[in-house]
Amino acid sequence: MNRFYIDKLTVSGGGHKTTLIDFKPGLNFILGPSNTGKSLVMDCLDYAFGFTPKKNRPSKIVDNNYGYERIALHLVTANGTVILERKIGDTKIAVSGTDPTVDHGSYSVGHKAKKNINAVYLHLLGIDEVHSVRSAENGSKTQDLTWRSMLHLFFIRQADIARESSALLAPGSVGHTASAAVLLYLLTGQDANDLVADEDPKISEAKKKALIGYIQEKVNEFTRRRETLEETLASSNITDPRSSVEQVRKETAELQAQVDEATKESQQLMSQIYEWNGKLSESKTVGHNFAVLRQQYQSDIRRIGFIVDGASTVSPARKKVKCPICGEETERVQDTSFIDASAAELEKIKHHLSELSDAQHSVEHQQETIIATIRTLEEKKKAIDTMISEQLQPRLSVFEEKLEQQLSLIRLTSELEIVRQNETQYRNELFNKETEETSESSKHNIYEDYDYDIIHGFEEKLREILQASKIGGAASARLNMENFDIEIGGFKKSVSMDGGFCGILNTITTLAMSGYLIDLDRNAPGFYAVDSSLTQLSEAEHKEQSDTIKQNFIEYLISHAHERQVIIVEQTKRMPFVPDESDENGVHVIKFSRNKKEGRYGFLNEVYNPEDQ
């Protein structure tokens, strides 16, 4: 989309040294005390934009030109430069420059002239066809789309900045239809030929107001809940809870693996303990059998020893007996040979008993080794179990608690998304209800042609700037379609923050809308200029500078300086601070001192206030 911005402004002639103001593509400040010509800069720009003085809207440069004769405005386009030169008091503007798409020559500021300057400015915006827009509620009345009918969205003079009427509508306009229709064209490309005047069914005005009040309360309810959720999520210092959950889950899995490994090792140790207890049981059984065998051996030794000892005290004896075969008597000698055999057996048993003692000692040693092994295994298992219960499990519990917190944040994030959707839905319903036609007349309400999808984007940009400027209730700000002006917390601009705030609110409103047009890649110039937006803004003295609206608004402009050209004309004493000149930050500062001995006195060369002569 075509864009152009202001390069320089010159005022010359009448024997004066040419006055020059150089502008840069970023953020431009024109600062100085009263009566130094700051607002005259804006009047000269407006004069070059085709302003025609009227009784109720005079031109300072025409009424008091100090002998200067002409104004020249240099613009930069995508194809080169365009120079517009106008003699003070004349209705013609000479057009020249290096942009090959712009026809050079003399153009009239009169709208009805065949060759008027309006065509040049619309061409610079990329609008080359003639478009008509509605001019009244009666659908049969239209007017041509002009440069001057949209300029109030990008260029606000001092006399218009603090007005309580909507900044989106042209100042001084009798009706609102034409201004709203021009903005509708800029937002959507819809002109008068595309509009269809449909009558809505009759609805009770009282019922409509009650329904609007109910919907407004729902909007406020969801807004409050959204702010609460946003504050909760912001205080968590976690920008991406889902990624955080994955990290906690990964750490939990690693710790769980350590617990599982330690548990597995504990179980293996228990199996070993069982195995060694089995071996100990077997060894004790063998020891028991050895003890029984020892008792048997000892009993045999006593028995055989008794026999041997008793036999050794008895001498061999002869005894007469009758032979059972022949019947004759014969002598029987008592046999003592068993004594030797018993003695030998006794020695053998004693030898076995000695070997059994050695075996018992070996079993006892084996049992001591097994018991020591079992104790070692039990101590090792106890250490692992202690590590699991006192270290790993508590850490795992901490991770599980942390995981639950992260999951809770995800649930809050999901709820926030739903709340935002509900808030948008209710805002949409509020928008539709406010734009709903209730009268039976055939008049066409231009706001019925607006679609909330378009307005919703503007409201988001509006709230972004209001919140960055720390204006109270910014999250509830919206565009009220009944008066086509912003409201905050359900209150109109003029009563929501007192009349002194109208200047800054009008500035933010038009700044947001003109920036939104650029975001949509719609027809809009690449500059925005405003005069005295902070003049009537007075804030509490106890506030820290960082909490003031002025401070935060200027910082917002500086942080977005590279987005487009912005020109701020302001009294130095009304500024919260004087920004530093910085090409890197896109900040350009032009200072008027009202001191003939220091700096630049004012806008026009060789022009001084009587008291400073």
Side-chain angles (χ1 to χ4, degrees), residues 198-228:
D198 294 328
E199 291 185 0
D200 290 337
K202 290 177 60 177
I203 301 175
S204 168
E205 187 66 25
K207 181 178 179 181
K208 176 183 175 181
K209 289 182 178 179
L211 187 55
I212 287 176
Y214 168 78
I215 298 174
Q216 179 67 65
E217 180 57 34
K218 296 299 292 184
V219 169
N220 294 339
E221 176 184 332
F222 283 114
T223 297
R224 289 191 294 269
R225 180 56 182 165
R226 172 171 58 79
E227 289 180 312
T228 300

PDB file of all heavy atoms in Angstrom, residues 198-228:
ATOM      1  N   ASP A 198     -30.651  -1.683   5.162  1.00  0.00           N
ATOM      2  CA  ASP A 198     -31.669  -2.635   5.622  1.00  0.00           C
ATOM      3  C   ASP A 198     -32.287  -2.142   6.912  1.00  0.00           C
ATOM      4  O   ASP A 198     -31.591  -1.739   7.839  1.00  0.00           O
ATOM      5  CB  ASP A 198     -31.049  -4.014   5.867  1.00  0.00           C
ATOM      6  CG  ASP A 198     -30.560  -4.641   4.577  1.00  0.00           C
ATOM      7  OD1 ASP A 198     -31.181  -4.388   3.532  1.00  0.00           O
ATOM      8  OD2 ASP A 198     -29.569  -5.385   4.628  1.00  0.00           O
ATOM      9  N   GLU A 199     -33.582  -2.179   6.963  1.00  0.00           N
ATOM     10  CA  GLU A 199     -34.257  -1.762   8.183  1.00  0.00           C
ATOM     11  C   GLU A 199     -34.323  -2.925   9.168  1.00  0.00           C
ATOM     12  O   GLU A 199     -34.663  -4.059   8.811  1.00  0.00           O
ATOM     13  CB  GLU A 199     -35.678  -1.274   7.863  1.00  0.00           C
ATOM     14  CG  GLU A 199     -35.716   0.029   7.097  1.00  0.00           C
ATOM     15  CD  GLU A 199     -37.133   0.560   6.906  1.00  0.00           C
ATOM     16  OE1 GLU A 199     -38.072  -0.123   7.382  1.00  0.00           O
ATOM     17  OE2 GLU A 199     -37.276   1.623   6.297  1.00  0.00           O
ATOM     18  N   ASP A 200     -34.021  -2.642  10.416  1.00  0.00           N
ATOM     19  CA  ASP A 200     -34.114  -3.660  11.467  1.00  0.00           C
ATOM     20  C   ASP A 200     -35.551  -3.695  12.008  1.00  0.00           C
ATOM     21  O   ASP A 200     -36.283  -2.711  11.932  1.00  0.00           O
ATOM     22  CB  ASP A 200     -33.164  -3.348  12.615  1.00  0.00           C
ATOM     23  CG  ASP A 200     -31.723  -3.529  12.206  1.00  0.00           C
ATOM     24  OD1 ASP A 200     -31.469  -4.270  11.246  1.00  0.00           O
ATOM     25  OD2 ASP A 200     -30.875  -2.900  12.846  1.00  0.00           O
ATOM     26  N   PRO A 201     -35.985  -4.808  12.607  1.00  0.00           N
ATOM     27  CA  PRO A 201     -37.324  -4.881  13.185  1.00  0.00           C
ATOM     28  C   PRO A 201     -37.438  -3.936  14.383  1.00  0.00           C
ATOM     29  O   PRO A 201     -36.454  -3.564  15.020  1.00  0.00           O
ATOM     30  CB  PRO A 201     -37.441  -6.346  13.626  1.00  0.00           C
ATOM     31  CG  PRO A 201     -36.037  -6.806  13.764  1.00  0.00           C
ATOM     32  CD  PRO A 201     -35.244  -6.073  12.741  1.00  0.00           C
ATOM     33  N   LYS A 202     -38.685  -3.572  14.717  1.00  0.00           N
ATOM     34  CA  LYS A 202     -38.931  -2.661  15.854  1.00  0.00           C
ATOM     35  C   LYS A 202     -38.593  -3.367  17.172  1.00  0.00           C
ATOM     36  O   LYS A 202     -38.962  -4.479  17.415  1.00  0.00           O
ATOM     37  CB  LYS A 202     -40.408  -2.259  15.855  1.00  0.00           C
ATOM     38  CG  LYS A 202     -40.794  -1.341  14.702  1.00  0.00           C
ATOM     39  CD  LYS A 202     -42.293  -1.043  14.712  1.00  0.00           C
ATOM     40  CE  LYS A 202     -42.715  -0.367  15.982  1.00  0.00           C
ATOM     41  NZ  LYS A 202     -44.147  -0.006  15.983  1.00  0.00           N
ATOM     42  N   ILE A 203     -37.816  -2.657  17.960  1.00  0.00           N
ATOM     43  CA  ILE A 203     -37.445  -3.188  19.281  1.00  0.00           C
ATOM     44  C   ILE A 203     -37.702  -2.097  20.301  1.00  0.00           C
ATOM     45  O   ILE A 203     -37.376  -0.939  20.073  1.00  0.00           O
ATOM     46  CB  ILE A 203     -35.965  -3.617  19.298  1.00  0.00           C
ATOM     47  CG1 ILE A 203     -35.718  -4.690  18.245  1.00  0.00           C
ATOM     48  CG2 ILE A 203     -35.557  -4.129  20.664  1.00  0.00           C
ATOM     49  CD1 ILE A 203     -34.267  -5.081  18.109  1.00  0.00           C
ATOM     50  N   SER A 204     -38.211  -2.475  21.386  1.00  0.00           N
ATOM     51  CA  SER A 204     -38.484  -1.509  22.449  1.00  0.00           C
ATOM     52  C   SER A 204     -37.183  -0.871  22.915  1.00  0.00           C
ATOM     53  O   SER A 204     -36.199  -1.552  23.198  1.00  0.00           O
ATOM     54  CB  SER A 204     -39.177  -2.199  23.627  1.00  0.00           C
ATOM     55  OG  SER A 204     -39.197  -1.345  24.755  1.00  0.00           O
ATOM     56  N   GLU A 205     -37.159   0.473  22.984  1.00  0.00           N
ATOM     57  CA  GLU A 205     -35.960   1.183  23.413  1.00  0.00           C
ATOM     58  C   GLU A 205     -35.586   0.834  24.853  1.00  0.00           C
ATOM     59  O   GLU A 205     -34.402   0.668  25.188  1.00  0.00           O
ATOM     60  CB  GLU A 205     -36.182   2.694  23.299  1.00  0.00           C
ATOM     61  CG  GLU A 205     -34.935   3.540  23.559  1.00  0.00           C
ATOM     62  CD  GLU A 205     -33.863   3.331  22.505  1.00  0.00           C
ATOM     63  OE1 GLU A 205     -34.205   2.943  21.374  1.00  0.00           O
ATOM     64  OE2 GLU A 205     -32.679   3.534  22.833  1.00  0.00           O
ATOM     65  N   ALA A 206     -36.599   0.692  25.703  1.00  0.00           N
ATOM     66  CA  ALA A 206     -36.308   0.346  27.100  1.00  0.00           C
ATOM     67  C   ALA A 206     -35.699  -1.043  27.199  1.00  0.00           C
ATOM     68  O   ALA A 206     -34.756  -1.276  27.961  1.00  0.00           O
ATOM     69  CB  ALA A 206     -37.592   0.417  27.925  1.00  0.00           C
ATOM     70  N   LYS A 207     -36.239  -1.980  26.399  1.00  0.00           N
ATOM     71  CA  LYS A 207     -35.711  -3.346  26.417  1.00  0.00           C
ATOM     72  C   LYS A 207     -34.287  -3.376  25.864  1.00  0.00           C
ATOM     73  O   LYS A 207     -33.426  -4.083  26.384  1.00  0.00           O
ATOM     74  CB  LYS A 207     -36.622  -4.244  25.576  1.00  0.00           C
ATOM     75  CG  LYS A 207     -36.186  -5.693  25.533  1.00  0.00           C
ATOM     76  CD  LYS A 207     -37.158  -6.535  24.708  1.00  0.00           C
ATOM     77  CE  LYS A 207     -36.698  -7.986  24.641  1.00  0.00           C
ATOM     78  NZ  LYS A 207     -37.618  -8.816  23.821  1.00  0.00           N
ATOM     79  N   LYS A 208     -34.070  -2.572  24.854  1.00  0.00           N
ATOM     80  CA  LYS A 208     -32.730  -2.505  24.268  1.00  0.00           C
ATOM     81  C   LYS A 208     -31.714  -1.990  25.283  1.00  0.00           C
ATOM     82  O   LYS A 208     -30.628  -2.545  25.431  1.00  0.00           O
ATOM     83  CB  LYS A 208     -32.754  -1.594  23.043  1.00  0.00           C
ATOM     84  CG  LYS A 208     -31.375  -1.381  22.412  1.00  0.00           C
ATOM     85  CD  LYS A 208     -31.468  -0.421  21.246  1.00  0.00           C
ATOM     86  CE  LYS A 208     -30.067  -0.118  20.687  1.00  0.00           C
ATOM     87  NZ  LYS A 208     -30.119   0.842  19.567  1.00  0.00           N
ATOM     88  N   LYS A 209     -32.090  -0.912  26.009  1.00  0.00           N
ATOM     89  CA  LYS A 209     -31.168  -0.365  26.998  1.00  0.00           C
ATOM     90  C   LYS A 209     -30.902  -1.363  28.118  1.00  0.00           C
ATOM     91  O   LYS A 209     -29.775  -1.490  28.603  1.00  0.00           O
ATOM     92  CB  LYS A 209     -31.730   0.930  27.569  1.00  0.00           C
ATOM     93  CG  LYS A 209     -31.701   2.090  26.584  1.00  0.00           C
ATOM     94  CD  LYS A 209     -32.222   3.375  27.237  1.00  0.00           C
ATOM     95  CE  LYS A 209     -32.152   4.537  26.264  1.00  0.00           C
ATOM     96  NZ  LYS A 209     -32.662   5.792  26.864  1.00  0.00           N
ATOM     97  N   ALA A 210     -31.968  -2.079  28.543  1.00  0.00           N
ATOM     98  CA  ALA A 210     -31.794  -3.071  29.604  1.00  0.00           C
ATOM     99  C   ALA A 210     -30.868  -4.195  29.138  1.00  0.00           C
ATOM    100  O   ALA A 210     -30.001  -4.668  29.884  1.00  0.00           O
ATOM    101  CB  ALA A 210     -33.146  -3.644  30.019  1.00  0.00           C
ATOM    102  N   LEU A 211     -31.060  -4.604  27.894  1.00  0.00           N
ATOM    103  CA  LEU A 211     -30.217  -5.673  27.353  1.00  0.00           C
ATOM    104  C   LEU A 211     -28.779  -5.213  27.192  1.00  0.00           C
ATOM    105  O   LEU A 211     -27.837  -5.959  27.486  1.00  0.00           O
ATOM    106  CB  LEU A 211     -30.781  -6.139  26.004  1.00  0.00           C
ATOM    107  CG  LEU A 211     -30.109  -7.364  25.368  1.00  0.00           C
ATOM    108  CD1 LEU A 211     -30.110  -8.539  26.335  1.00  0.00           C
ATOM    109  CD2 LEU A 211     -30.794  -7.733  24.068  1.00  0.00           C
ATOM    110  N   ILE A 212     -28.622  -3.968  26.754  1.00  0.00           N
ATOM    111  CA  ILE A 212     -27.265  -3.414  26.639  1.00  0.00           C
ATOM    112  C   ILE A 212     -26.593  -3.375  28.013  1.00  0.00           C
ATOM    113  O   ILE A 212     -25.411  -3.708  28.165  1.00  0.00           O
ATOM    114  CB  ILE A 212     -27.313  -2.005  26.008  1.00  0.00           C
ATOM    115  CG1 ILE A 212     -27.633  -2.111  24.516  1.00  0.00           C
ATOM    116  CG2 ILE A 212     -25.992  -1.271  26.221  1.00  0.00           C
ATOM    117  CD1 ILE A 212     -27.798  -0.769  23.821  1.00  0.00           C
ATOM    118  N   GLY A 213     -27.375  -2.978  29.048  1.00  0.00           N
ATOM    119  CA  GLY A 213     -26.819  -2.951  30.402  1.00  0.00           C
ATOM    120  C   GLY A 213     -26.400  -4.323  30.877  1.00  0.00           C
ATOM    121  O   GLY A 213     -25.343  -4.484  31.507  1.00  0.00           O
ATOM    122  N   TYR A 214     -27.222  -5.342  30.581  1.00  0.00           N
ATOM    123  CA  TYR A 214     -26.886  -6.719  30.977  1.00  0.00           C
ATOM    124  C   TYR A 214     -25.625  -7.194  30.254  1.00  0.00           C
ATOM    125  O   TYR A 214     -24.708  -7.761  30.871  1.00  0.00           O
ATOM    126  CB  TYR A 214     -28.052  -7.658  30.649  1.00  0.00           C
ATOM    127  CG  TYR A 214     -27.692  -9.118  30.747  1.00  0.00           C
ATOM    128  CD1 TYR A 214     -27.600  -9.751  31.979  1.00  0.00           C
ATOM    129  CD2 TYR A 214     -27.404  -9.861  29.592  1.00  0.00           C
ATOM    130  CE1 TYR A 214     -27.249 -11.091  32.070  1.00  0.00           C
ATOM    131  CE2 TYR A 214     -27.056 -11.198  29.670  1.00  0.00           C
ATOM    132  CZ  TYR A 214     -26.980 -11.808  30.910  1.00  0.00           C
ATOM    133  OH  TYR A 214     -26.617 -13.125  30.984  1.00  0.00           O
ATOM    134  N   ILE A 215     -25.581  -6.948  28.944  1.00  0.00           N
ATOM    135  CA  ILE A 215     -24.406  -7.383  28.172  1.00  0.00           C
ATOM    136  C   ILE A 215     -23.160  -6.646  28.651  1.00  0.00           C
ATOM    137  O   ILE A 215     -22.076  -7.232  28.760  1.00  0.00           O
ATOM    138  CB  ILE A 215     -24.636  -7.157  26.662  1.00  0.00           C
ATOM    139  CG1 ILE A 215     -25.815  -8.000  26.173  1.00  0.00           C
ATOM    140  CG2 ILE A 215     -23.386  -7.519  25.875  1.00  0.00           C
ATOM    141  CD1 ILE A 215     -26.202  -7.731  24.722  1.00  0.00           C
ATOM    142  N   GLN A 216     -23.310  -5.342  28.959  1.00  0.00           N
ATOM    143  CA  GLN A 216     -22.170  -4.569  29.451  1.00  0.00           C
ATOM    144  C   GLN A 216     -21.627  -5.153  30.751  1.00  0.00           C
ATOM    145  O   GLN A 216     -20.412  -5.246  30.965  1.00  0.00           O
ATOM    146  CB  GLN A 216     -22.579  -3.111  29.671  1.00  0.00           C
ATOM    147  CG  GLN A 216     -21.463  -2.223  30.216  1.00  0.00           C
ATOM    148  CD  GLN A 216     -20.353  -2.040  29.209  1.00  0.00           C
ATOM    149  OE1 GLN A 216     -20.543  -1.454  28.161  1.00  0.00           O
ATOM    150  NE2 GLN A 216     -19.179  -2.558  29.522  1.00  0.00           N
ATOM    151  N   GLU A 217     -22.554  -5.580  31.638  1.00  0.00           N
ATOM    152  CA  GLU A 217     -22.138  -6.186  32.893  1.00  0.00           C
ATOM    153  C   GLU A 217     -21.393  -7.490  32.646  1.00  0.00           C
ATOM    154  O   GLU A 217     -20.400  -7.793  33.320  1.00  0.00           O
ATOM    155  CB  GLU A 217     -23.364  -6.438  33.782  1.00  0.00           C
ATOM    156  CG  GLU A 217     -23.025  -7.079  35.124  1.00  0.00           C
ATOM    157  CD  GLU A 217     -22.030  -6.270  35.944  1.00  0.00           C
ATOM    158  OE1 GLU A 217     -22.069  -5.017  35.863  1.00  0.00           O
ATOM    159  OE2 GLU A 217     -21.210  -6.879  36.651  1.00  0.00           O
ATOM    160  N   LYS A 218     -21.868  -8.270  31.673  1.00  0.00           N
ATOM    161  CA  LYS A 218     -21.167  -9.519  31.327  1.00  0.00           C
ATOM    162  C   LYS A 218     -19.781  -9.208  30.776  1.00  0.00           C
ATOM    163  O   LYS A 218     -18.806  -9.908  31.091  1.00  0.00           O
ATOM    164  CB  LYS A 218     -21.975 -10.311  30.313  1.00  0.00           C
ATOM    165  CG  LYS A 218     -23.326 -10.805  30.822  1.00  0.00           C
ATOM    166  CD  LYS A 218     -23.167 -11.748  32.007  1.00  0.00           C
ATOM    167  CE  LYS A 218     -22.531 -13.079  31.635  1.00  0.00           C
ATOM    168  NZ  LYS A 218     -22.479 -14.013  32.771  1.00  0.00           N
ATOM    169  N   VAL A 219     -19.702  -8.179  29.956  1.00  0.00           N
ATOM    170  CA  VAL A 219     -18.395  -7.772  29.422  1.00  0.00           C
ATOM    171  C   VAL A 219     -17.461  -7.392  30.564  1.00  0.00           C
ATOM    172  O   VAL A 219     -16.298  -7.819  30.619  1.00  0.00           O
ATOM    173  CB  VAL A 219     -18.544  -6.592  28.434  1.00  0.00           C
ATOM    174  CG1 VAL A 219     -17.176  -5.998  28.105  1.00  0.00           C
ATOM    175  CG2 VAL A 219     -19.226  -7.061  27.157  1.00  0.00           C
ATOM    176  N   ASN A 220     -17.974  -6.588  31.515  1.00  0.00           N
ATOM    177  CA  ASN A 220     -17.156  -6.172  32.658  1.00  0.00           C
ATOM    178  C   ASN A 220     -16.751  -7.377  33.508  1.00  0.00           C
ATOM    179  O   ASN A 220     -15.626  -7.439  34.016  1.00  0.00           O
ATOM    180  CB  ASN A 220     -17.927  -5.171  33.522  1.00  0.00           C
ATOM    181  CG  ASN A 220     -18.178  -3.857  32.801  1.00  0.00           C
ATOM    182  OD1 ASN A 220     -17.479  -3.533  31.837  1.00  0.00           O
ATOM    183  ND2 ASN A 220     -19.172  -3.105  33.237  1.00  0.00           N
ATOM    184  N   GLU A 221     -17.671  -8.324  33.662  1.00  0.00           N
ATOM    185  CA  GLU A 221     -17.389  -9.528  34.450  1.00  0.00           C
ATOM    186  C   GLU A 221     -16.249 -10.324  33.831  1.00  0.00           C
ATOM    187  O   GLU A 221     -15.306 -10.730  34.528  1.00  0.00           O
ATOM    188  CB  GLU A 221     -18.652 -10.382  34.530  1.00  0.00           C
ATOM    189  CG  GLU A 221     -18.466 -11.719  35.257  1.00  0.00           C
ATOM    190  CD  GLU A 221     -19.728 -12.570  35.213  1.00  0.00           C
ATOM    191  OE1 GLU A 221     -20.833 -11.993  35.119  1.00  0.00           O
ATOM    192  OE2 GLU A 221     -19.599 -13.804  35.262  1.00  0.00           O
ATOM    193  N   PHE A 222     -16.333 -10.545  32.522  1.00  0.00           N
ATOM    194  CA  PHE A 222     -15.270 -11.290  31.846  1.00  0.00           C
ATOM    195  C   PHE A 222     -13.969 -10.490  31.803  1.00  0.00           C
ATOM    196  O   PHE A 222     -12.871 -11.063  31.876  1.00  0.00           O
ATOM    197  CB  PHE A 222     -15.701 -11.675  30.426  1.00  0.00           C
ATOM    198  CG  PHE A 222     -16.652 -12.847  30.388  1.00  0.00           C
ATOM    199  CD1 PHE A 222     -17.954 -12.689  29.955  1.00  0.00           C
ATOM    200  CD2 PHE A 222     -16.234 -14.108  30.789  1.00  0.00           C
ATOM    201  CE1 PHE A 222     -18.833 -13.764  29.926  1.00  0.00           C
ATOM    202  CE2 PHE A 222     -17.100 -15.183  30.760  1.00  0.00           C
ATOM    203  CZ  PHE A 222     -18.399 -15.013  30.335  1.00  0.00           C
ATOM    204  N   THR A 223     -14.099  -9.160  31.715  1.00  0.00           N
ATOM    205  CA  THR A 223     -12.892  -8.320  31.727  1.00  0.00           C
ATOM    206  C   THR A 223     -12.172  -8.450  33.060  1.00  0.00           C
ATOM    207  O   THR A 223     -10.940  -8.602  33.119  1.00  0.00           O
ATOM    208  CB  THR A 223     -13.260  -6.853  31.465  1.00  0.00           C
ATOM    209  OG1 THR A 223     -13.837  -6.732  30.162  1.00  0.00           O
ATOM    210  CG2 THR A 223     -12.013  -5.967  31.539  1.00  0.00           C
ATOM    211  N   ARG A 224     -12.946  -8.385  34.161  1.00  0.00           N
ATOM    212  CA  ARG A 224     -12.328  -8.521  35.486  1.00  0.00           C
ATOM    213  C   ARG A 224     -11.678  -9.891  35.642  1.00  0.00           C
ATOM    214  O   ARG A 224     -10.568  -9.994  36.184  1.00  0.00           O
ATOM    215  CB  ARG A 224     -13.390  -8.296  36.581  1.00  0.00           C
ATOM    216  CG  ARG A 224     -13.866  -6.857  36.709  1.00  0.00           C
ATOM    217  CD  ARG A 224     -14.705  -6.672  37.971  1.00  0.00           C
ATOM    218  NE  ARG A 224     -15.949  -7.421  37.910  1.00  0.00           N
ATOM    219  CZ  ARG A 224     -17.083  -6.930  37.435  1.00  0.00           C
ATOM    220  NH1 ARG A 224     -17.140  -5.689  36.970  1.00  0.00           N
ATOM    221  NH2 ARG A 224     -18.196  -7.676  37.431  1.00  0.00           N
ATOM    222  N   ARG A 225     -12.384 -10.939  35.207  1.00  0.00           N
ATOM    223  CA  ARG A 225     -11.807 -12.286  35.315  1.00  0.00           C
ATOM    224  C   ARG A 225     -10.554 -12.411  34.457  1.00  0.00           C
ATOM    225  O   ARG A 225      -9.562 -13.013  34.890  1.00  0.00           O
ATOM    226  CB  ARG A 225     -12.849 -13.330  34.879  1.00  0.00           C
ATOM    227  CG  ARG A 225     -12.349 -14.779  34.963  1.00  0.00           C
ATOM    228  CD  ARG A 225     -11.856 -15.110  36.364  1.00  0.00           C
ATOM    229  NE  ARG A 225     -11.340 -16.470  36.456  1.00  0.00           N
ATOM    230  CZ  ARG A 225     -10.597 -16.934  37.442  1.00  0.00           C
ATOM    231  NH1 ARG A 225     -10.261 -16.118  38.447  1.00  0.00           N
ATOM    232  NH2 ARG A 225     -10.184 -18.181  37.452  1.00  0.00           N
ATOM    233  N   ARG A 226     -10.586 -11.812  33.256  1.00  0.00           N
ATOM    234  CA  ARG A 226      -9.404 -11.870  32.393  1.00  0.00           C
ATOM    235  C   ARG A 226      -8.216 -11.167  33.032  1.00  0.00           C
ATOM    236  O   ARG A 226      -7.082 -11.679  33.018  1.00  0.00           O
ATOM    237  CB  ARG A 226      -9.719 -11.235  31.034  1.00  0.00           C
ATOM    238  CG  ARG A 226      -8.495 -11.069  30.135  1.00  0.00           C
ATOM    239  CD  ARG A 226      -8.881 -10.654  28.740  1.00  0.00           C
ATOM    240  NE  ARG A 226      -9.629  -9.425  28.714  1.00  0.00           N
ATOM    241  CZ  ARG A 226      -9.094  -8.215  28.816  1.00  0.00           C
ATOM    242  NH1 ARG A 226      -7.782  -8.083  28.970  1.00  0.00           N
ATOM    243  NH2 ARG A 226      -9.846  -7.134  28.758  1.00  0.00           N
ATOM    244  N   GLU A 227      -8.471  -9.999  33.642  1.00  0.00           N
ATOM    245  CA  GLU A 227      -7.386  -9.258  34.294  1.00  0.00           C
ATOM    246  C   GLU A 227      -6.809 -10.072  35.448  1.00  0.00           C
ATOM    247  O   GLU A 227      -5.581 -10.119  35.640  1.00  0.00           O
ATOM    248  CB  GLU A 227      -7.897  -7.914  34.797  1.00  0.00           C
ATOM    249  CG  GLU A 227      -8.200  -6.928  33.696  1.00  0.00           C
ATOM    250  CD  GLU A 227      -8.720  -5.602  34.231  1.00  0.00           C
ATOM    251  OE1 GLU A 227      -9.633  -5.636  35.080  1.00  0.00           O
ATOM    252  OE2 GLU A 227      -8.209  -4.557  33.817  1.00  0.00           O
ATOM    253  N   THR A 228      -7.715 -10.733  36.230  1.00  0.00           N
ATOM    254  CA  THR A 228      -7.250 -11.564  37.345  1.00  0.00           C
ATOM    255  C   THR A 228      -6.375 -12.702  36.849  1.00  0.00           C
ATOM    256  O   THR A 228      -5.298 -12.975  37.404  1.00  0.00           O
ATOM    257  CB  THR A 228      -8.457 -12.130  38.132  1.00  0.00           C
ATOM    258  OG1 THR A 228      -9.227 -11.046  38.642  1.00  0.00           O
ATOM    259  CG2 THR A 228      -7.977 -13.008  39.279  1.00  0.00           C
TER     260      THR A 228
END
